[in-house]
PDB file of all heavy atoms in Angstrom:
ATOM      1  N   TRP A 227     -12.650  14.298  21.478  1.00 97.00           N
ATOM      2  CA  TRP A 227     -12.713  12.857  21.617  1.00 97.00           C
ATOM      3  C   TRP A 227     -11.910  12.123  20.637  1.00 97.00           C
ATOM      4  O   TRP A 227     -11.787  12.463  19.454  1.00 97.00           O
ATOM      5  CB  TRP A 227     -14.217  12.426  21.455  1.00 97.00           C
ATOM      6  CG  TRP A 227     -15.166  13.249  22.238  1.00 97.00           C
ATOM      7  CD1 TRP A 227     -15.879  14.332  21.716  1.00 97.00           C
ATOM      8  CD2 TRP A 227     -15.450  13.209  23.624  1.00 97.00           C
ATOM      9  NE1 TRP A 227     -16.595  14.865  22.695  1.00 97.00           N
ATOM     10  CE2 TRP A 227     -16.414  14.242  23.889  1.00 97.00           C
ATOM     11  CE3 TRP A 227     -15.014  12.372  24.684  1.00 97.00           C
ATOM     12  CZ2 TRP A 227     -16.880  14.449  25.183  1.00 97.00           C
ATOM     13  CZ3 TRP A 227     -15.547  12.613  25.921  1.00 97.00           C
ATOM     14  CH2 TRP A 227     -16.433  13.664  26.143  1.00 97.00           C
ATOM     15  N   VAL A 229      -9.595   9.763  18.210  1.00 95.00           N
ATOM     16  CA  VAL A 229      -8.496   9.943  17.248  1.00 95.00           C
ATOM     17  C   VAL A 229      -8.428  11.450  16.803  1.00 95.00           C
ATOM     18  O   VAL A 229      -7.372  12.008  16.783  1.00 95.00           O
ATOM     19  CB  VAL A 229      -8.796   9.064  15.963  1.00 95.00           C
ATOM     20  CG1 VAL A 229      -7.844   9.521  14.825  1.00 95.00           C
ATOM     21  CG2 VAL A 229      -8.492   7.585  16.359  1.00 95.00           C
ATOM     22  N   GLY A 237      -1.330  18.854  17.710  1.00 94.00           N
ATOM     23  CA  GLY A 237      -0.928  19.772  16.694  1.00 94.00           C
ATOM     24  C   GLY A 237      -0.683  19.161  15.323  1.00 94.00           C
ATOM     25  O   GLY A 237      -0.143  19.825  14.441  1.00 94.00           O
ATOM     26  N   GLN A 244     -14.857  29.928  12.692  1.00 98.00           N
ATOM     27  CA  GLN A 244     -15.181  31.345  12.477  1.00 98.00           C
ATOM     28  C   GLN A 244     -16.722  31.506  12.309  1.00 98.00           C
ATOM     29  O   GLN A 244     -17.311  30.954  11.426  1.00 98.00           O
ATOM     30  CB  GLN A 244     -14.478  31.762  11.095  1.00 98.00           C
ATOM     31  CG  GLN A 244     -14.603  33.222  10.814  1.00 98.00           C
ATOM     32  CD  GLN A 244     -13.842  34.101  11.804  1.00 98.00           C
ATOM     33  OE1 GLN A 244     -12.662  33.821  12.098  1.00 98.00           O
ATOM     34  NE2 GLN A 244     -14.478  35.145  12.292  1.00 98.00           N
ATOM     35  N   ALA A 250     -22.271  40.320  11.374  1.00 97.00           N
ATOM     36  CA  ALA A 250     -23.625  40.901  11.238  1.00 97.00           C
ATOM     37  C   ALA A 250     -23.538  42.410  11.447  1.00 97.00           C
ATOM     38  O   ALA A 250     -22.816  42.844  12.321  1.00 97.00           O
ATOM     39  CB  ALA A 250     -24.600  40.256  12.161  1.00 97.00           C
ATOM     40  N   GLN A 271     -26.420  35.269   3.807  1.00 98.00           N
ATOM     41  CA  GLN A 271     -26.054  36.410   2.891  1.00 98.00           C
ATOM     42  C   GLN A 271     -24.535  36.340   2.531  1.00 98.00           C
ATOM     43  O   GLN A 271     -23.702  36.133   3.315  1.00 98.00           O
ATOM     44  CB  GLN A 271     -26.319  37.712   3.644  1.00 98.00           C
ATOM     45  CG  GLN A 271     -27.797  37.884   3.934  1.00 98.00           C
ATOM     46  CD  GLN A 271     -28.088  39.135   4.750  1.00 98.00           C
ATOM     47  OE1 GLN A 271     -27.886  39.136   5.985  1.00 98.00           O
ATOM     48  NE2 GLN A 271     -28.508  40.197   4.109  1.00 98.00           N
ATOM     49  N   ALA A 304     -13.445   8.008  -0.735  1.00 96.00           N
ATOM     50  CA  ALA A 304     -12.072   7.874  -0.207  1.00 96.00           C
ATOM     51  C   ALA A 304     -11.104   8.607  -1.103  1.00 96.00           C
ATOM     52  O   ALA A 304     -10.154   9.255  -0.557  1.00 96.00           O
ATOM     53  CB  ALA A 304     -11.698   6.390  -0.129  1.00 96.00           C
ATOM     54  N   SER A 312      -4.210  16.108   1.133  1.00 93.00           N
ATOM     55  CA  SER A 312      -2.885  16.564   0.654  1.00 93.00           C
ATOM     56  C   SER A 312      -2.811  18.075   0.567  1.00 93.00           C
ATOM     57  O   SER A 312      -1.722  18.613   0.190  1.00 93.00           O
ATOM     58  CB  SER A 312      -2.588  15.913  -0.701  1.00 93.00           C
ATOM     59  OG  SER A 312      -3.430  16.407  -1.689  1.00 93.00           O
ATOM     60  N   ASP A 343     -26.889  11.460  -0.612  1.00 98.00           N
ATOM     61  CA  ASP A 343     -28.124  11.920  -1.315  1.00 98.00           C
ATOM     62  C   ASP A 343     -29.243  11.968  -0.304  1.00 98.00           C
ATOM     63  O   ASP A 343     -30.241  11.253  -0.471  1.00 98.00           O
ATOM     64  CB  ASP A 343     -28.454  11.032  -2.511  1.00 98.00           C
ATOM     65  CG  ASP A 343     -27.520  11.204  -3.604  1.00 98.00           C
ATOM     66  OD1 ASP A 343     -26.754  12.220  -3.649  1.00 98.00           O
ATOM     67  OD2 ASP A 343     -27.541  10.356  -4.565  1.00 98.00           O
ATOM     68  N   LEU A 360     -10.459  13.103   6.910  1.00 97.00           N
ATOM     69  CA  LEU A 360      -9.196  13.653   6.523  1.00 97.00           C
ATOM     70  C   LEU A 360      -8.136  13.382   7.592  1.00 97.00           C
ATOM     71  O   LEU A 360      -6.992  12.957   7.273  1.00 97.00           O
ATOM     72  CB  LEU A 360      -9.298  15.213   6.453  1.00 97.00           C
ATOM     73  CG  LEU A 360     -10.095  15.891   5.280  1.00 97.00           C
ATOM     74  CD1 LEU A 360     -10.115  17.371   5.522  1.00 97.00           C
ATOM     75  CD2 LEU A 360      -9.319  15.573   3.982  1.00 97.00           C
ATOM     76  N   PRO A 365      -0.250  11.507   8.862  1.00 88.00           N
ATOM     77  CA  PRO A 365       0.723  10.617   9.402  1.00 88.00           C
ATOM     78  C   PRO A 365       0.766  10.772  10.950  1.00 88.00           C
ATOM     79  O   PRO A 365       0.856  11.871  11.473  1.00 88.00           O
ATOM     80  CB  PRO A 365       2.089  11.086   8.822  1.00 88.00           C
ATOM     81  CG  PRO A 365       1.683  11.825   7.593  1.00 88.00           C
ATOM     82  CD  PRO A 365       0.320  12.435   7.864  1.00 88.00           C
ATOM     83  N   GLU A 376      -5.469   0.258   5.768  1.00 84.00           N
ATOM     84  CA  GLU A 376      -6.078  -1.069   5.951  1.00 84.00           C
ATOM     85  C   GLU A 376      -7.619  -0.982   6.091  1.00 84.00           C
ATOM     86  O   GLU A 376      -8.286  -2.035   6.146  1.00 84.00           O
ATOM     87  CB  GLU A 376      -5.493  -1.782   7.107  1.00 84.00           C
ATOM     88  CG  GLU A 376      -4.102  -2.229   6.847  1.00 84.00           C
ATOM     89  CD  GLU A 376      -3.323  -2.849   7.996  1.00 84.00           C
ATOM     90  OE1 GLU A 376      -4.045  -3.190   9.016  1.00 84.00           O
ATOM     91  OE2 GLU A 376      -2.107  -3.040   7.915  1.00 84.00           O
ATOM     92  N   THR A 394     -15.167 -18.484  21.215  1.00 98.00           N
ATOM     93  CA  THR A 394     -16.537 -18.950  20.834  1.00 98.00           C
ATOM     94  C   THR A 394     -17.601 -18.001  21.367  1.00 98.00           C
ATOM     95  O   THR A 394     -17.528 -17.712  22.559  1.00 98.00           O
ATOM     96  CB  THR A 394     -16.833 -20.422  21.355  1.00 98.00           C
ATOM     97  OG1 THR A 394     -15.722 -21.263  20.851  1.00 98.00           O
ATOM     98  CG2 THR A 394     -18.162 -20.900  20.790  1.00 98.00           C
ATOM     99  N   LEU A 405      -6.195 -18.154  14.072  1.00 98.00           N
ATOM    100  CA  LEU A 405      -5.559 -18.636  15.278  1.00 98.00           C
ATOM    101  C   LEU A 405      -4.268 -19.412  14.914  1.00 98.00           C
ATOM    102  O   LEU A 405      -3.564 -19.847  15.766  1.00 98.00           O
ATOM    103  CB  LEU A 405      -6.499 -19.591  15.977  1.00 98.00           C
ATOM    104  CG  LEU A 405      -7.915 -19.113  16.340  1.00 98.00           C
ATOM    105  CD1 LEU A 405      -8.753 -20.112  16.899  1.00 98.00           C
ATOM    106  CD2 LEU A 405      -7.872 -17.879  17.222  1.00 98.00           C
ATOM    107  N   LEU A 451     -14.997 -18.542  -4.330  1.00 97.00           N
ATOM    108  CA  LEU A 451     -15.272 -18.177  -5.735  1.00 97.00           C
ATOM    109  C   LEU A 451     -16.765 -18.015  -5.982  1.00 97.00           C
ATOM    110  O   LEU A 451     -17.183 -17.082  -6.672  1.00 97.00           O
ATOM    111  CB  LEU A 451     -14.662 -19.241  -6.688  1.00 97.00           C
ATOM    112  CG  LEU A 451     -13.362 -18.865  -7.323  1.00 97.00           C
ATOM    113  CD1 LEU A 451     -12.919 -19.960  -8.278  1.00 97.00           C
ATOM    114  CD2 LEU A 451     -13.336 -17.516  -7.999  1.00 97.00           C
TER     115      LEU A 451
END
Side-chain angles (χ1 to χ4, degrees):
W227 313 97
V229 165
Q244 188 67 46
Q271 296 174 283
S312 69
D343 288 346
L360 288 174
E376 288 175 10
T394 304
L405 309 174
L451 260 183

